[in-house]
Amino acid sequence: MAYQALYRKWRPRTFDSVVGQEDITNTLKNAIKRGTISHAFLFAGPRGTGKTSCAKIFAKALNCTNLQDGEPCNECANCLAADKGAMPDIMEIDAASNNGVDEIREIRDKVKYAPTQGKYKVYIIDEVHMLSMGAFNALLKTLEEPPEHVVFILATTELQKVPATIISRTQRYNFKRIAQADLEQRMKYILDQEQIKYEDKALAVIAQVADGGMRDALSILDQLLSYEKDTVNYDDALQITGFAAKEKIEEILLALLEKDAAKALTLAQAELQNGATSKNILDELIDMATNALLVVKADGQNKSNFLSADFVQQIATIPAQRYFQLIAAANDALNDLRYTNQQQIPLEVFLVASTNEQQSGAALPAAASSPAALTTGKNGDLQAEITALKKQVVDLTEKFSKLSSQPRSNSRDQVYHIDSASAPVKKTSQANSIVEKPKKKPRVRNTKRANEQNRKQVYHVLENATKHDLIALKDVWPDLQSVLSVSQRALLDVLQPVAASPDQVVMKCKYTLWFENASADDDFLTKLTSEIAKFTKHDYEIVLVPDEDWLKVRKDFLQTHGKELLAKKKEGASHEPAGESIETANDEVVQKAKDLFGDAVNIKD
């Protein structure tokens, strides 16, 4: 007969043989004895904790003809057929490979037929979270109101992926991880039945690696038996699992507590050469430090967790805060392992950092810090720095108030802004912005002089606007996104170049609020001017204008300069009167000209 893996050979056949899930098995047994069988069950929990085994035992018990206190007899024809997988009324479906709508529809069509051999037709759907949303929807109505002879048992390791509509139609049972002691006890029972010798320390290592999963524990045990068939010994368990010897971990922990980095590194490197992994060493150190902390706090109880005779005496005088530091630092190192291929480096960095005399207490949890400690040491210096910074803020605020009341001096290179209310001028020095950040100054509003100066500046751009300059600016516009910061890119998104002359460019802003933000952000304007010059190999001054004012400014310009510009067009000049219209035959400009000058206008291509 072919060899059968231990986890298959020793799969539980009764509820009493299921390990670590007594609450669930007792509930299922009582439901069978009392005849209160629900139509749908949902078994959820980590892998290898008995979900599928309980589903099979429950399905077998529902169809058993000779129940024994809620347990299947395992002797009747139905039980024997169920154990062999030949029971026609018990159907196991793997949702990972049968997750479509068609498979569920087939189940829905067949549930109406009565069972052929037993009392119930039982559908066990394993890994039910793998079903598609369409399959879940197809299952909903049948799952809620199936025929009286049908029972659904759904099993999943990822409950969060199961729709709430499915969960609400079932009785949910949450399987928990199996305790390490229960895992060891079950492995001892199996090895005794198989008449194989073993060491208790080896089984403890296997149980720790299994992390609460019985199937994982038996798989590792099976692997160990393949390595050495006659016995299960401690050294082989360490070799197969990649764990370090417990006594070596105790030595490393003592070296860390004594802040002996050289000894800790030497011991850890030796264990790595013997086959241990960095992750397992860190896991064992965390487990050992936690146990040591509990022993210190519990006045020396549970000393049997340690192998060294004098280990408890050596750690008795270590303060609890030291353990908190080690555990926090080890957890950080475990997290770093996920982001590097050099698995040894985070371990070595942890060993050196945790033995550093000047290690800060930042890694301590909040519970480990007392209120008195927060007012001593470096915190006193921190309070002094905060006081000094507050004073600097007050001084800068006073200086800013004084400077903002002084008149603004003009400079050679300027950026002009059109205010959304009355289009006044605001000038910012580009030359000075390289050396010193310009100060924000109040804008001049509702003055006739400022309005005239501003319109002259805008008209100057429109009079000399060219198609070539505007196309050049629009071509580099996407490139500007890659060199600006996130906040600056947000401002750039609401700006659009609408007219450009050989030395200036008019940009309209979509929203008044963003126009004000852009106008006040001298750093942004300086950066934008500089980047435009880099990409276009040409210097442009920037004129900002709100979108709502741009149409009025352009219309006024056409009214006052329309005839002159039309004359230039007839002569073949390359200037564009409305910068937003970069093509000669722009319909909008043509319509504007007709509105202004009537039928006297002749348009020639």
Side-chain angles (χ1 to χ4, degrees):
M1 182 179 178
Y3 178 77
Q4 194 172 23
L6 287 179
Y7 76 86
R8 295 182 58 197
K9 182 178 180 180
W10 291 95
R11 182 187 289 274
R13 301 179 63 201
T14 63
F15 287 121
D16 288 341
S17 59
V18 177
V19 178
Q21 311 295 345
E22 287 78 10
D23 295 339
I24 295 175
T25 56
N26 289 336
T27 303
L28 295 176
K29 285 169 60 177
N30 291 333
I32 293 172
K33 288 190 294 184
R34 297 170 183 170
T36 55
I37 308 299
S38 178
H39 64 281
F41 297 84
L42 177 60
F43 294 167
R47 67 183 188 278
T49 53
K51 299 184 298 297
T52 305
S53 296
C54 283
K56 291 183 176 181
I57 296 170
F58 188 61
K60 184 168 57 173
L62 289 176
N63 290 294
C64 180
T65 58
N66 186 24
L67 282 173
Q68 305 292 328
D69 193 29
E71 294 273 16
C73 68
N74 291 321
E75 295 178 356
C76 65
N78 288 350
C79 288
L80 294 176
D83 287 337
K84 295 178 181 179
M87 180 68 176
D89 296 326
I90 300 177
M91 284 143 287
E92 296 184 43
I93 301 169
D94 178 21
S97 55
N98 300 279
N99 57 1
V101 177
D102 294 336
E103 288 84 356
I104 301 302
R105 285 176 178 170
E106 185 178 355
I107 294 174
R108 188 182 61 187
D109 294 338
K110 290 182 178 180
V111 295
K112 58 186 177 182
Y113 300 115
T116 59
Q117 186 173 336
K119 185 179 179 180
Y120 290 93
K121 290 186 71 172
V122 183
Y123 288 89
I124 301 174
I125 305 179
D126 204 4
E127 300 299 333
V128 71
H129 65 272
M130 298 292 287
L131 290 179
S132 64
M133 189 53 63
F136 275 126
N137 292 333
L139 184 63
L140 279 177
K141 190 62 177 178
T142 303
L143 193 64
E144 184 177 16
E145 297 178 358
E148 294 181 356
H149 58 266
V150 174
V151 174
F152 284 96
I153 304 177
L154 315 179
T156 179
T157 55
E158 300 186 40
L159 182 62
Q160 73 278 5
K161 293 185 179 180
V162 180
T165 51
I166 294 291
I167 297 175
S168 65
R169 288 166 166 80
T170 62
Q171 280 189 9
R172 187 176 73 184
Y173 292 85
N174 293 321
F175 286 69
K176 58 181 180 293
R177 295 185 186 276
I178 303 173
Q180 186 169 338
D182 292 336
L183 293 175
E184 295 179 26
Q185 190 65 32
R186 181 63 175 174
M187 286 189 287
K188 289 178 181 179
Y189 172 78
I190 293 174
L191 291 173
D192 289 338
Q193 297 297 315
E194 296 284 342
Q195 297 181 353
I196 298 174
K197 298 179 180 179
Y198 58 85
E199 295 181 10
D200 291 340
K201 293 192 298 182
L203 299 184
V205 171
I206 295 174
Q208 187 174 0
V209 177
D211 192 25
M214 178 58 71
R215 184 170 62 242
D216 289 351
L218 295 181
S219 296
I220 297 171
L221 183 60
D222 217 353
Q223 184 180 1
L224 213 57
L225 292 176
S226 299
Y227 185 77
E228 182 61 48
K229 195 168 185 178
D230 296 334
T231 182
V232 178
N233 60 65
Y234 182 54
D235 293 335
D236 293 342
L238 296 177
Q239 190 71 25
I240 292 296
T241 60
F243 263 55
K246 193 171 184 180
E247 56 271 19
K248 297 298 182 182
I249 296 297
E250 291 178 2
E251 294 181 17
I252 296 175
L253 181 58
L254 284 174
L256 293 176
L257 294 175
E258 296 171 356
K259 299 185 179 180
D260 189 346
K263 183 179 179 181
L265 283 171
T266 302
L267 291 170
Q269 290 170 355
E271 292 306 306
L272 290 172
Q273 292 177 357
N274 291 333
T277 64
S278 297
K279 180 182 182 302
N280 288 342
I281 291 176
L282 289 168
D283 282 332
E284 291 180 271
L285 282 172
I286 293 173
D287 183 64
M288 184 74 67
T290 304
N291 289 335
L293 178 62
L294 295 176
V295 167
V296 171
K297 289 296 184 180
D299 297 328
Q301 296 182 9
N302 298 324
K303 298 180 182 179
S304 59
N305 291 330
F306 307 105
L307 300 180
S308 303
D310 57 344
F311 185 80
V312 176
Q313 287 75 18
Q314 290 179 283
I315 65 174
T317 59
I318 303 297
Q321 293 181 358
R322 181 63 177 145
Y323 293 107
F324 291 138
Q325 290 176 345
L326 288 176
I327 293 171
N331 279 318
D332 290 341
L334 276 175
N335 185 61
D336 293 340
L337 286 176
R338 298 185 299 169
Y339 306 106
T340 178
N341 293 326
Q342 303 293 332
Q343 298 289 293
Q344 187 174 343
I345 293 178
L347 173 62
E348 293 177 345
V349 170
F350 156 72
L351 295 175
V352 174
S354 58
T355 56
N356 188 357
E357 290 290 346
Q358 296 182 355
Q359 183 180 11
S360 67
L364 289 175
S369 301
S370 62
L374 297 177
T375 58
T376 60
K378 294 183 179 180
N379 292 324
D381 297 336
L382 183 60
Q383 292 293 339
E385 291 183 13
I386 292 175
T387 303
L389 287 173
K390 288 181 178 179
K391 186 176 184 304
Q392 291 181 13
V393 171
V394 173
D395 294 341
L396 289 173
T397 304
E398 293 177 354
K399 291 181 180 179
F400 177 79
S401 300
K402 294 178 181 179
L403 290 173
S404 61
S405 62
Q406 297 177 1
R408 184 188 298 266
S409 59
N410 294 330
S411 61
R412 182 178 179 181
D413 296 326
Q414 295 170 334
V415 179
Y416 295 82
H417 309 280
I418 300 179
D419 187 272
S420 59
S422 57
V425 176
K426 178 181 179 181
K427 303 180 181 180
T428 304
S429 173
Q430 290 183 350
N432 294 338
S433 66
I434 300 176
V435 180
E436 182 180 357
K437 183 183 291 187
K439 304 275 191 308
K440 182 179 178 181
K441 297 182 176 60
R443 286 186 288 240
V444 181
R445 294 181 180 270
N446 300 323
T447 60
K448 183 177 179 180
R449 179 182 178 185
N451 189 47
E452 291 176 354
Q453 290 178 350
N454 178 69
R455 285 184 176 273
K456 287 182 180 179
Q457 183 66 25
V458 177
Y459 287 173
H460 175 74
V461 178
L462 295 177
E463 287 174 358
N464 298 280
T466 67
K467 178 180 179 181
H468 171 75
D469 288 298
L470 187 59
I471 291 177
L473 284 165
K474 289 188 174 182
D475 287 342
V476 302
W477 204 253
D479 298 327
L480 297 174
Q481 294 279 356
S482 61
V483 296
L484 298 177
S485 64
V486 176
S487 59
Q488 291 174 339
R489 287 200 298 269
L491 289 173
L492 188 67
D493 288 338
V494 299
L495 296 180
Q496 179 184 354
V498 291
S501 66
D503 57 349
Q504 292 176 314
V505 56
V506 177
M507 296 183 185
K508 72 174 183 179
C509 189
K510 294 181 181 179
Y511 312 107
T512 303
L513 177 62
W514 285 83
F515 161 75
E516 295 176 355
N517 291 339
S519 301
D521 194 342
D522 294 325
D523 289 339
F524 167 69
L525 294 174
T526 302
K527 177 72 173 178
L528 184 59
T529 303
S530 174
E531 296 300 336
I532 289 175
K534 289 181 182 178
F535 284 113
T536 61
K537 309 298 182 183
H538 192 76
D539 293 330
Y540 289 96
E541 295 179 8
I542 296 175
V543 179
L544 294 181
V545 57
D547 194 3
E548 57 188 16
D549 291 348
W550 164 243
L551 294 177
K552 184 177 185 304
V553 171
R554 189 179 62 177
K555 181 179 179 180
D556 294 344
F557 173 76
L558 288 172
Q559 289 177 344
T560 56
H561 296 74
K563 293 181 180 180
E564 178 183 352
L565 292 174
L566 286 174
K568 287 184 179 180
K569 270 192 173 185
K570 293 179 180 180
E571 295 174 1
S574 61
H575 300 290
E576 294 286 346
E580 199 173 33
S581 308
I582 63 173
E583 296 180 3
T584 307
N586 186 285
D587 294 336
E588 184 179 358
V589 175
V590 172
Q591 187 61 40
K592 283 285 184 182
K594 287 183 177 180
D595 293 340
L596 292 173
F597 305 104
D599 296 332
V601 178
N602 293 324
I603 306 299
K604 293 184 178 180
D605 293 336

